[in-house]
Amino acid sequence: MINKEVKADDEFDADTIILATGSKQIVPPIQGINQEFVLQAEDVLENQKELKGNVVVIGGGLVGTETCKYLGNQGAHVTLVEMKDNIADGIGATFIGHMFAKLAEYQVDVKTSETVKKIKNHEVVLSNTTVPCDYVVIAAGYKSRNELAEELSKKYDVKVVGDASSPRRILDATAEAYNVVNEL
């Protein structure tokens, strides 16, 4: 079924169901996250929103660093906040050099080992400092959308693939789906 909402109690003429329901952005429980100047990275990148001024990007993984590149190219002054002690974790070796070069070119201010305490009126309060901003962009990662798997597995053999199994790069997800189909 493509582009149709599926429910756990739906009946299918199938022995095996391949569940490829993807993932959704994580919205961390940060006080003040629901303000109008706080946006999701997907909305910024997919809708090609132009954000000028000071922008704080929360999350230093692939989506967060890509968002920093996108905003830096627009001329925004970007501060990247990551709770780990490094950024770009899991980005491939052939790509990471380019990523760091672009972040340096756009003079992205990288703050690692920082926890976001809250978002106030156009400022982000971190564990060690406060950063003034015009916008905040959330890029805190993804969570699998696999809620149907448990219920469907009561009646069918269910193979969960792609981001529904574990959010990651598209290359990994498509390879996994290919392998599952070949094993059927």
Side-chain angles (χ1 to χ4, degrees), residues 15-91:
D15 296 319
T16 301
I17 294 178
I18 298 173
L19 188 71
T21 49
S23 60
K24 58 185 172 186
Q25 282 193 277
I26 294 171
V27 180
I30 300 171
Q31 180 183 345
I33 201 168
N34 293 322
Q35 298 178 70
E36 66 183 39
F37 65 93
V38 181
L39 307 167
Q40 295 294 320
E42 262 185 28
D43 294 333
V44 171
L45 296 172
E46 286 181 5
N47 299 317
Q48 298 186 357
K49 291 189 178 190
E50 286 195 40
L51 305 181
K52 300 292 184 183
N54 295 316
V55 182
V56 174
V57 175
I58 298 174
L62 178 60
V63 175
T65 52
E66 279 294 324
T67 302
C68 289
K69 278 180 29 185
Y70 173 77
L71 295 169
N73 187 51
Q74 291 180 357
H77 176 265
V78 183
T79 301
L80 175 60
V81 178
E82 171 57 50
M83 61 193 274
K84 295 180 184 175
D85 61 358
N86 63 331
I87 64 166
D89 199 22
I91 294 178

Side-chain angles (χ1 to χ4, degrees), residues 61-63 65-67 69 88 90-103 169:
L62 178 60
V63 175
T65 52
E66 279 294 324
T67 302
K69 278 180 29 185
I91 294 178
T94 58
F95 188 65
I96 199 159
H98 167 77
M99 176 65 71
F100 282 117
K102 285 296 184 184
L103 295 178
R169 298 177 311 159

